[in-house]
């Protein structure tokens, strides 16, 4: 490959790492800090992607239409013609709203019950969302999906170089989300979440409204995942129900968080890089090694390896040393220092 | 002088676990400002009483009033909000959080517990945190745990965990504290510290205490009221001297022992 080809590959690679980093960050809020088991990340991924696509995408060619009435493309309506770039930003807000409402509803139903219910409900929601977009063709063109999802700021650069620009967009969104999450998990809000993760009863006896905090964490995580889904849609520019297959839209994200380090936001991002690196790197292997099943198997091996060698993930959670005593000795948890081992 | 209105009124409280009746029409009053000891043989229902009163468990029947307010069936975070705080017989600490964090978690109404404040009012949040961390350091000092401030709570010894339990109640601003065997597994010197901090909180902050404890020396020295429980009900109540001279009490303990051996 010549240099330009390599560069193009790397840009595409890091766009995906950035997008998956966002999912991983969202899961970290739910699982890493609060202990909420979301088995249906794909549901929020899909809701985010479809919401933005429906708001911004022009209607498909007649020949490609299954039974598409709703049409979306609000950006194309004359009186809402504020330009696609403005609509992109507006649609991110809509994504946040939709995912927030769905997370709220799922949380309302399950977060007072034991954790198993949340796992089952999220699994069910993800499947329900996928089947809804598949079978209710009038919503989003069924199995043929939505394509030609527009590019954000696409007028600024030539199509050949667009990915460079989009990489910047993804990194900016990722950085903003990272900083936002960092701030709240390091504040007393995050302390309550970790207390709930450690011992719900003790958190309650310390006067914390456990249900309310769980709900907040679940909603925040769901919104973050939805935004990841929206960026994915504008990057790949084609979505259909197959896109939100549980392996690539839920399992891989769990793998990222486990490998990188649950309870550590930098770990979540590192995990996205490592796992996506393995996933996309292995496609260049010869013959059957490039088979997707074998590549998933490799990720499975990686998870097992990390769990055996570093149970907390590559970076793992760091101990929060109080400020007065030793602000300088902010050391990662040593293996022997983890009380759960 | 009028008889003081009880801070806690428990009436006919019943709690069943399947076939086991852990509380059997338990009725008692606790007066404000007192340190009340609750004693009784193993399995008498003392811990269950605390569980139901604090809201960790729903009663099968009966009523609980705290400052005249009916609280049976409330969750623990709500009874905490009224100033009713409890510890656990088997300590429940947040293992992978430091001792300091375990304490700083407790105070209610923290600014930084609100998402929006954490994002948009970091100054106020930091101010709050400074105040709370100073308070936590004072508590640690009193409990002689200062050197463990940044240790994971899960790594503490059994006795140290009991102290941390007590520390959590001191971080709250409670009106009433329920302590379940605060002295179990704690050495003599520390036990004296615990006694001191209880007496201090009682005298200076007018906190009402109810303490479950098997250590009779501790109970007789600390408490001005003693309630004796057996088989889920109250069988005697009085001052330490009255209790020591009560034949029923002796019998309950011996009876309890006899039941256990063939
Ligand atoms: N969660 C539970 N499930 C089933 N049975 C329980 C439960 N908690 C308590 N019990 C039963 O209720 C009875 C009273 O137990 P409780 O723990 O209240 O006794 P206790 O007075 O605190 O005893 P100890 O002095 O040994 O701590 C016992 O027979 C116990 O087995
Ligand atoms: Mg007990």
């Amino acid at each position: 490959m010549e240099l330009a080809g390599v560069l193009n590959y790397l840009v595409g690679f890091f766009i995906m790492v950035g997008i998956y980093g966002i999912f991983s960050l969202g899961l970290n809020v739910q699982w890493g800090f609060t202990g909420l088991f979301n088995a249906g990340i794909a549901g929020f991924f899909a809701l985010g992607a479809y919401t933005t696509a429906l708001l911004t995408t022009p209607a498909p060619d007649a020949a490609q239409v299954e039974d598409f009435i709703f049409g979306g493309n609000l950006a194309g309506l004359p009186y809402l013609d504020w330009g696609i770039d403005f609509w992109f930003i507006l649609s991110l807000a809509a994504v946040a709203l939709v995912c927030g409402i769905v997370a709220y509803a799922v949380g309302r139903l399950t977060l007072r019950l034991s954790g198993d219910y949340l796992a089952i409900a999220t699994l069910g929601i993800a499947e329900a969302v996928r089947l809804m977009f598949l079978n209710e063709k009038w919503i989003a063109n069924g199995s043929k999906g939505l394509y030609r999802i527009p590019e954000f700021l696409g007028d600024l650069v030539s199509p050949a170089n667009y990915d460079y620009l989009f990489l910047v967009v993804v990194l900016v969104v990722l950085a903003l989300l990272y900083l936002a999450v960092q701030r709240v998990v390091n504040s007393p809000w995050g302390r309550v979440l970790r207390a709930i993760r450690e011992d719900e009863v003790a958190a309650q006896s310390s006067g914390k409204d456990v249900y309310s905090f769980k709900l907040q964490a679940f909603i925040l995580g769901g919104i973050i995942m939805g935004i990841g889904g929206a960026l994915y849609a504008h990057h790949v520019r084609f979505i259909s129900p197959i896109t939100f297959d549980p392996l690539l839209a839920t399992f891989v994200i769990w793998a990222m968080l486990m490998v990188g380090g649950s309870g550590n936001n930098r770990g979540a991002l590192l995990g996205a890089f490592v796992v996506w690196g393995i996933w996309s790197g292995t496609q260049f292997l010869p013959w059957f090694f490039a088979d997707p099943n074998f590549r998933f198997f490799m990720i499975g091996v990686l998870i097992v390896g990390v769990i055996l060698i570093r149970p907390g993930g590559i970076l793992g959670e760091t101990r929060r040393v109080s400020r007065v005593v030793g602000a300088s000795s902010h050391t990662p948890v040593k293996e022997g220092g983890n009380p759960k081992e | 002088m009028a008889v003081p209105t009880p801070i806690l009124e428990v009436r006919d409280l019943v709690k069943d676990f399947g076939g086991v009746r852990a509380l059997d029409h338990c009725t008692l009053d606790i007066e404000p400002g007192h340190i009340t000891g609750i004693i009784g043989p193993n399995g008498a229902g003392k811990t269950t009483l605390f569980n139901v009163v604090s809201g960790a468990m729903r009663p099968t029947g009966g009523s609980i009033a705290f400052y005249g307010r009916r609280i049976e069936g409330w969750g623990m975070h709500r009874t905490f909000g009224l100033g009713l705080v409890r510890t656990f017989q088997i300590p429940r600490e947040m293992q992978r959080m430091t001792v300091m964090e375990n304490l700083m978690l407790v105070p209610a109404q923290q600014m930084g517990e609100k998402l929006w404040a954490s994002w948009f009012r970091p100054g106020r949040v930091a101010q709050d945190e400074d105040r709370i961390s100073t308070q936590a350091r004072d508590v640690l000092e009193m409990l002689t745990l200062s050197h463990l401030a940044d240790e994971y709570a899960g790594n503490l010894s059994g006795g140290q965990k009991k102290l941390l339990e007590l520390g959590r109640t001191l971080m709250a601003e409670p009106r009433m504290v329920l302590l379940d065997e605060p002295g179990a597994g704690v050495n003599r010197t520390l036990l004296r510290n615990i006694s001191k901090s209880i007496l201090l909180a009682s005298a200076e902050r007018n906190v009402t205490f109810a303490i479950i404890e098997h250590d009779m020396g501790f109970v007789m020295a600390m408490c001005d009221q003693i309630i004796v429980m057996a088989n889920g009900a109250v069988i005697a109540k009085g001052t330490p001297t009255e209790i020591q001279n009560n034949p029923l009490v002796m019998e309950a303990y011996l009876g309890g022992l006899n039941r256990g051996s063939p």
Side-chain angles (χ1 to χ4, degrees):
Chain A
M1 261 192 285
E2 53 185 304
L3 186 65
V6 173
L7 215 55
N8 274 337
Y9 174 77
L10 283 180
V11 168
F13 173 77
F14 278 106
I15 288 176
M16 288 309 280
V17 168
I19 291 172
Y20 272 95
I22 292 174
F23 292 133
S24 181
L25 209 55
L27 182 62
N28 206 18
V29 173
Q30 295 178 342
W31 170 256
F33 293 102
T34 324
L36 300 174
F37 193 94
N38 183 347
I41 302 165
F44 294 98
F45 186 167
L47 282 172
Y50 270 107
T51 301
T52 190
L54 284 171
L55 287 176
T56 59
T57 310
D61 294 341
Q64 287 294 326
V65 172
E66 278 202 30
D67 182 13
F68 190 44
I69 305 169
F70 176 65
N73 188 25
L74 295 180
L77 296 176
Y79 46 92
L80 293 176
D81 187 11
W82 300 319
I84 186 59
D85 299 333
F86 183 73
W87 267 102
F88 173 82
I89 293 177
L90 214 59
S91 77
L92 286 190
V95 164
L97 193 69
V98 168
C99 290
I101 289 172
V102 170
Y104 173 79
V106 175
R108 263 304 285 266
L109 290 174
T110 59
L111 288 177
R112 282 188 204 279
L113 311 170
S114 89
D116 309 341
Y117 290 91
L118 179 67
I120 294 165
T122 46
L123 198 64
I125 284 287
E127 211 37 29
V129 165
R130 201 178 62 79
L131 290 175
M132 175 183 82
F133 286 120
L134 182 65
N135 295 326
E136 300 299 316
K137 300 187 171 102
W138 57 276
I139 303 177
N141 208 24
S143 62
K144 292 190 177 157
L146 299 174
Y147 58 98
R148 281 199 226 135
I149 298 166
E151 291 169 333
F152 174 55
L153 299 177
D155 300 336
L156 290 187
V157 291
S158 70
N161 292 327
Y162 179 73
D163 273 3
Y164 290 90
L165 179 69
F166 197 69
L167 176 60
V168 175
V169 172
V170 168
L171 291 181
V172 167
V173 174
L174 176 65
L176 288 176
L177 291 175
Y178 173 82
L179 292 175
V181 172
Q182 271 300 85
R183 177 164 275 181
V184 290
V185 298
N186 288 322
S187 85
W189 187 78
R191 186 161 64 211
V192 177
L193 299 194
R194 286 181 294 122
I196 292 170
R197 179 194 69 192
E198 292 300 301
D199 188 332
E200 227 172 271
V201 175
Q204 235 158 27
S205 79
S206 298
K208 305 307 170 199
D209 185 348
V210 167
Y211 165 71
S212 157
F213 281 97
K214 279 184 176 177
L215 195 57
Q216 293 172 42
F218 190 64
I219 292 173
L220 180 61
I223 289 174
I224 293 172
M225 291 168 182
I227 289 175
L231 291 181
Y232 179 91
H234 286 279
H235 172 56
V236 177
R237 307 189 62 202
F238 166 76
I239 55 171
S240 78
I242 321 170
T243 312
F244 309 102
D245 157 78
L247 271 180
L248 269 176
T250 296
F251 168 74
V252 160
I253 297 160
W254 270 99
M256 289 166 174
L257 188 62
M258 295 290 99
V259 167
S262 186
N264 181 330
N265 287 329
R266 259 165 294 171
L269 301 189
L270 178 68
F273 171 77
V274 171
V275 172
W276 193 255
I278 289 180
W279 171 251
S280 64
T282 46
Q283 69 185 310
F284 299 118
L285 291 174
W287 30 289
F288 98 101
F289 293 117
D291 182 82
N293 291 319
F294 179 76
R295 290 156 66 200
F296 276 121
F297 174 73
M298 289 303 294
I299 293 176
V301 169
L302 176 72
I303 297 175
V304 172
V306 167
I307 285 175
L308 287 179
I309 298 164
R310 289 184 71 89
I314 299 174
L315 285 181
E317 194 168 9
T318 49
R319 186 164 42 164
R320 284 160 169 79
V321 175
S322 56
R323 266 175 296 161
V324 188
V325 173
S328 59
S329 61
H330 200 274
T331 43
V333 186
K334 286 189 286 301
E335 239 99 318
N338 193 327
K340 286 242 166 105
E341 284 166 41
Chain B
M1 228 172 67
V3 183
T5 22
I7 178 172
L8 181 74
E9 297 163 90
V10 173
R11 293 287 172 273
D12 276 322
L13 206 59
V14 175
K15 176 70 191 176
D16 290 335
F17 294 109
V20 179
R21 177 153 287 193
L23 289 177
D24 189 3
H25 298 279
C26 179
T27 293
L28 56 90
D29 285 338
I30 287 178
E31 275 109 41
H34 285 263
I35 300 177
T36 304
I38 298 177
I39 63 172
N42 294 121
K46 306 180 294 296
T47 297
T48 307
L49 174 70
F50 276 15
N51 279 336
V52 175
V53 168
S54 67
M57 292 174 176
R58 287 174 172 281
T60 309
S63 72
I64 307 160
F66 185 65
Y67 277 105
R69 195 138 161 206
R70 294 283 292 271
I71 58 164
E72 66 268 14
W74 282 28
M76 257 190 297
H77 77 271
R78 290 181 67 200
T79 59
F80 180 99
L82 286 183
L84 180 60
V85 183
R86 59 87 55 95
T87 67
F88 295 94
Q89 178 170 359
I90 299 162
R92 303 191 77 124
E93 71 292 337
M94 328 289 170
Q95 301 201 2
R96 277 184 302 162
M97 288 169 70
T98 65
V99 169
M100 201 58 185
E101 287 182 303
N102 268 266
L103 293 180
M104 290 180 66
L105 172 75
V106 177
Q109 314 291 337
Q110 296 184 31
M111 194 69 177
E113 286 178 359
K114 298 192 178 72
L115 265 180
W116 62 268
S118 300
W119 275 318
F120 304 115
R121 305 289 307 275
R124 275 291 308 277
V125 172
Q127 229 176 339
D128 249 31
E129 283 287 275
D130 283 346
R131 183 175 50 76
I132 294 169
S133 96
T134 312
Q135 193 189 345
R137 282 186 191 286
D138 290 346
V139 168
L140 284 181
E141 186 136 353
M142 185 154 72
L143 299 175
T144 65
L145 289 176
S146 293
H147 59 296
L148 295 170
D150 290 324
E151 186 55 73
Y152 274 126
N155 291 342
L156 298 190
S157 75
Q160 289 167 336
K161 286 179 183 173
K162 297 266 7 165
L163 292 176
L164 183 57
E165 284 273 307
L166 183 68
R168 285 195 310 123
T169 67
L170 298 173
M171 288 299 292
E173 268 150 36
R175 296 200 275 187
M176 177 166 188
V177 176
L178 310 174
L179 299 176
D180 198 344
E181 302 193 18
V186 176
N187 77 43
R188 291 275 142 196
T189 332
L190 280 183
L191 197 56
R192 269 198 294 281
N193 273 5
I194 292 185
S195 309
K196 255 189 281 174
S197 32
I198 293 172
L199 291 171
L200 202 71
S202 167
E204 290 189 351
R205 292 199 269 161
N206 201 29
V207 179
T208 305
F209 282 91
I211 307 176
I212 297 175
E213 186 52 71
H214 287 294
D215 180 336
M216 284 304 151
F218 178 89
V219 174
M220 296 300 162
M222 293 282 298
C223 303
D224 35 33
Q225 281 287 326
I226 292 177
I227 291 171
V228 188
M229 287 183 69
N231 300 323
V234 173
I235 58 161
K237 177 172 179 171
T239 62
T241 344
E242 286 167 359
I243 294 300
Q244 273 166 320
N245 298 325
N246 188 332
L248 264 179
V249 176
M250 214 47 191
E251 197 184 308
Y253 271 89
L254 292 177
L257 289 178
N258 283 345
R259 242 190 341 188
S261 51

